[in-house]
Amino acid sequence: MKFGVPLGLLHPAAWKDVAVAADELGFESVWLPEHLVFATDLSLARYPGGADPGIRPETPLFDAPAYLCWLAAHTSRVLLGTAVQLLALRHPFVSARAFATLDVVSGGRAVCGVGAGWYRGEWDAAGIPFETRGARLDEAVAVVRRLWTEPVVAHSGRFYSFPEVAFEPKPVQRRLPVLAGGESAAALRRAARLCDGWISMPHTLDSIRPQLDRLGGGVPVTAHAYALGSPEEVPAWAALGVERLIVRPWTRGRDAVAALTAFAARYGVGPDIQTIDR
């Protein structure tokens, strides 16, 4: 089992120290969330299934691939992922350039987790129809994959059209992994048909089973498992087809590095050289 660390659940002042600790301890990956902008109108900020606003407009927001580029300079092994990037809020040129840059400066450690998003406010603010977000994301994923792999690319689609362009540099990884987030039927189809795996919301062993049943077999799964209780649970996750657990062993952010150290000792996490498919 591979273990990842959710930096977004910490104050940004701690991101560097926790990323460096994760790298040195042998955690496989660190992950940042992203939003482009928050509207001050909270009527559009109800998280699905929640009673309270899912955002606070005063929350500081960072460009996730750019911040991960900075963390790449302070780490050497750990993979650097987004959980998740709203790829379709930007032109595919912008998204493809951001992740290709991250992959190059990190020596092939980028993971592009993407999602359609739930928060209508930022789509309205950006002037992009919220109702088309899923279809836009599907097309954007297809376009960035071509930009990352083909010598020249021209595209004529429903949402994006451009004449033949060159796109260099290519990512270091032969296939920069794209993981689809989200729990809807459309998100699960996207993970299975267009992407290299699925990345879940926070789950327990019991709560993730219905999603995995809908997803079907053969799709690599990354699960947020914040309630992981003991090493004895890990084989049960693996038996479900989960290959990566994103864990939060701390209860207070200031204890994150110490908690990661204790987790690594308890769960047998140790440094391992990453092999990049170049």
Side-chain angles (χ1 to χ4, degrees), residues 1-5 25 27 225-231 234 245-250 256-270:
M1 182 65 68
K2 297 176 283 192
F3 292 100
V5 178
L25 289 166
F27 284 83
Y226 299 159
L228 186 66
S230 72
V234 175
L245 293 174
I246 299 178
V247 298
R248 184 188 62 184
W250 61 85
V257 170
L260 286 179
T261 303
F263 183 98
R266 187 181 182 198
Y267 284 77
V269 176

Side-chain angles (χ1 to χ4, degrees), residues 38-160:
F38 287 155
T40 57
D41 178 4
L42 293 182
S43 68
L44 300 174
R46 297 282 182 202
Y47 189 79
D52 298 320
I55 62 100
R56 293 181 299 167
E58 69 275 13
T59 301
L61 299 175
F62 296 90
D63 183 284
Y67 208 106
L68 290 170
C69 283
W70 184 68
L71 293 179
H74 297 281
T75 57
S76 60
R77 297 188 182 101
V78 71
L79 302 185
L80 304 157
T82 52
V84 290
Q85 181 87 353
L86 299 172
L87 202 74
L89 265 179
R90 304 154 178 86
H91 192 282
F93 289 164
V94 177
S95 301
R97 183 67 65 203
F99 282 93
T101 299
L102 172 59
D103 205 54
V104 170
V105 303
S106 68
R109 293 187 281 140
V111 182
C112 180
V114 303
W118 62 271
Y119 172 48
R120 184 184 187 115
E122 61 191 326
W123 293 82
D124 289 351
I128 302 175
F130 183 68
E131 294 76 12
T132 67
R133 68 195 187 282
R136 284 178 182 274
L137 176 56
D138 290 347
E139 187 174 338
V141 168
V143 172
V144 298
R145 284 204 187 279
R146 294 188 64 202
L147 292 168
W148 288 337
T149 58
E150 298 179 17
V152 294
V153 178
H155 180 77
S156 179
R158 178 182 172 190
F159 302 107
Y160 310 106

